[in-house]
Amino acid sequence: MSGLQGVLIVQKGHGSRQTLIYVLMSSQTIELDLRHAIWLTHNRRCVYCSEPLSFSEVDIDHVIPEALVGNPEFPAILAPLDLPLAFDLFSIRNLLPVHRRCNLVKSSKVFDDAAARFFLHRAEGASANVQELVAKKKEGQIRDNLLAKLGEAIRSGLILPMDIQVSQPPHLLRLTNPLVFADAPAEIIESIAPEEVERYLDRPVLMGADPVFAADFGDDNGVRMSVRTWREYRAALAAGFSAKTTYDIKSEAVLKTANAILTAAGSVRLPIISYIRRPHRGVADLELLPSSVLPCVSPDDAEIIAGMENASLSDLLGRGEIKILRISSSELSLEWNWGLMLREICRADFDGDGIEDILCECYCWATELWLVEHSGSYE
């Protein structure tokens, strides 16, 4: 039996003429999580035309057509490709993301041997990452279901919040925002153990949208070097190199954050006491953040901040001395003399005192007001 189903479409032409079109449709149901994982792993592009592919447009095509199921010519097609007779046409090693239009053009045609080998190699190379993404998605769904049931149990009084103990593997650093690498942008790194740090040092960091981009560093003698990995970044700093242009300084911010994560992961400890997890505390709690977190770039800034007498950001907001641009449970952006962004990276005991700390990424920029007030300095 064929693995395909069809739909008969009747199109009316001029007069009484009608056109009958039989469109083949796949009988394999591709689950949403698998479809999404295949699309992500192939960098959101149609494998056949290499053009960008939105998720709403995704068709999942079988490199070797599923119409060959039960076809007596099937073994003769597999043999030149060095595929076993037991090759599963419905496995992820035969599935690729494509545009609907490209899928219709290809239809149930059989590629020549060279093209078939090429596209099968693409599918095979992506299969491990596809399986990992699907597995992590299912793990997340199981966790969400358990949390929903736990919340219902708490609301109904079957268990009390103090009966719950938050646990995690010792020395495992969980990240609020995952790490992203240029060599596998769909890969999700949500936690790091100390023993994993070494294997991440030589992977290229994704800086912006271009996976081949590298930050350009220089020294005082005019020598230049490209930096893409954390090991290269550490070596550049040790040799006295630094980012020289505004663009490279922005790229270095990504390297700095990633380097801080790996440094923290290498010495992370499970906290004995936490004052910031229950109840949850973070960068959104303005009343707990002192004015000393504001950027201090010049002597004038230091004098102004000292005059605030360690008032909280909540106090400064009430007095109209700061402006909130964005706030969430893990990120805060504001403006005063300078712009400031604080983003939570992870939580753990970083200094060995047994108390849980928050590691934050800090980024500041010149506001329009500052540029206007200091424009005469550059004339």
Side-chain angles (χ1 to χ4, degrees):
M1 294 179 61
S2 170
L4 297 177
Q5 299 173 347
V7 174
L8 187 64
I9 300 176
V10 180
Q11 293 184 334
K12 291 186 177 181
H14 295 292
S16 59
R17 294 185 61 186
Q18 294 180 335
T19 302
L20 302 182
I21 303 175
Y22 192 73
V23 179
L24 295 177
M25 300 174 59
S26 174
S27 64
Q28 181 180 4
T29 299
I30 308 293
E31 295 182 357
L32 183 62
D33 291 345
L34 176 57
R35 182 184 297 270
H36 191 255
I38 293 173
W39 174 69
L40 281 180
T41 301
H42 289 277
N43 297 323
R44 302 176 176 87
R45 289 184 177 273
C46 172
V47 174
Y48 291 158
C49 72
S50 300
E51 294 295 322
L53 174 65
S54 68
F55 188 61
S56 61
E57 297 178 294
V58 173
D59 260 15
I60 302 298
D61 186 47
H62 298 74
V63 179
I64 300 179
E66 57 180 323
L68 293 176
V69 173
N71 191 311
E73 297 179 3
F74 186 44
I77 293 173
L78 295 179
L81 303 175
D82 299 323
L83 295 175
L85 290 176
F87 180 76
D88 184 3
L89 294 181
F90 301 101
S91 74
I92 58 176
R93 292 173 174 80
N94 193 44
L95 302 179
L96 290 174
V98 298
H99 286 109
R100 171 62 57 86
R101 62 178 183 269
C102 295
N103 199 9
L104 290 175
V105 170
K106 190 245 183 182
S107 188
S108 58
K109 299 184 183 73
V110 178
F111 286 120
D112 60 52
D113 291 350
R117 283 180 180 275
F118 173 77
F119 289 118
L120 286 170
H121 179 73
R122 293 283 301 272
E124 173 69 28
S127 61
N129 196 59
V130 169
Q131 289 175 319
E132 183 178 355
L133 289 176
V134 171
K136 286 186 176 181
K137 183 70 174 180
K138 289 183 177 178
E139 288 174 4
Q141 291 171 345
I142 293 173
R143 179 179 180 275
D144 290 343
N145 290 336
L146 287 175
L147 289 176
K149 292 178 180 178
L150 181 60
E152 183 59 35
I154 293 174
R155 286 190 293 271
S156 64
L158 293 177
I159 61 174
L160 299 176
M162 61 278 297
D163 296 328
I164 304 170
Q165 293 184 349
V166 179
S167 64
Q168 66 180 31
H171 311 307
L172 182 66
L173 186 65
R174 298 192 181 279
L175 307 178
T176 303
N177 293 297
L179 286 175
V180 182
F181 296 98
D183 56 352
E187 185 178 11
I188 300 174
I189 307 297
E190 296 180 314
S191 60
I192 301 178
E195 61 272 15
E196 296 178 314
V197 171
E198 186 65 26
R199 70 186 180 93
Y200 291 132
L201 287 175
D202 294 309
R203 295 190 61 180
V205 179
L206 184 63
M207 294 174 278
D210 188 352
V212 300
F213 177 79
D216 187 28
F217 279 43
D219 66 4
D220 295 336
N221 298 317
V223 179
R224 317 294 295 180
M225 68 180 296
S226 294
V227 177
R228 296 192 68 202
T229 71
W230 292 311
R231 196 185 301 279
E232 290 171 350
Y233 178 60
R234 293 177 176 182
L237 294 182
F241 284 75
S242 61
K244 299 298 184 182
T245 68
T246 302
Y247 194 77
D248 290 316
I249 289 172
K250 290 183 177 180
S251 300
E252 187 185 9
V254 180
L255 290 164
K256 282 183 177 179
T257 299
N259 189 54
I261 291 172
L262 287 190
T263 302
S267 59
V268 65
R269 300 170 181 83
L270 193 65
I272 300 172
I273 302 172
S274 176
Y275 298 105
I276 56 177
R277 188 173 296 277
R278 288 181 290 174
H280 184 278
R281 299 297 188 187
V283 295
D285 295 288
L286 301 183
E287 71 279 4
L288 299 179
L289 297 178
S291 56
S292 57
V293 305
L294 295 174
C296 184
V297 182
S298 69
D300 291 342
D301 297 332
E303 184 177 344
I304 295 173
I305 294 173
M308 294 175 178
E309 298 180 345
N310 224 26
S312 71
L313 294 190
S314 179
D315 296 331
L316 300 180
L317 180 63
R319 301 201 300 247
E321 296 182 37
I322 63 172
K323 176 184 177 181
I324 301 299
L325 303 179
R326 171 183 168 83
I327 189 167
S328 68
S329 61
S330 62
E331 183 176 329
L332 168 66
S333 293
L334 60 83
E335 283 187 353
W336 72 298
N337 283 1
W338 295 84
L340 170 69
M341 184 276 289
L342 285 176
R343 180 184 293 131
E344 180 180 328
I345 299 176
C346 50
R347 300 178 177 219
D349 174 15
F350 299 114
D351 54 11
D353 63 357
I355 300 175
E356 187 172 33
D357 310 300
I358 301 178
L359 178 63
C360 289
E361 175 186 8
C362 176
Y363 185 82
C364 64
W365 64 91
T367 63
E368 291 185 12
L369 177 61
W370 187 93
L371 290 173
V372 170
E373 292 178 346
H374 294 77
S375 60
S377 304
Y378 301 99
E379 294 178 355

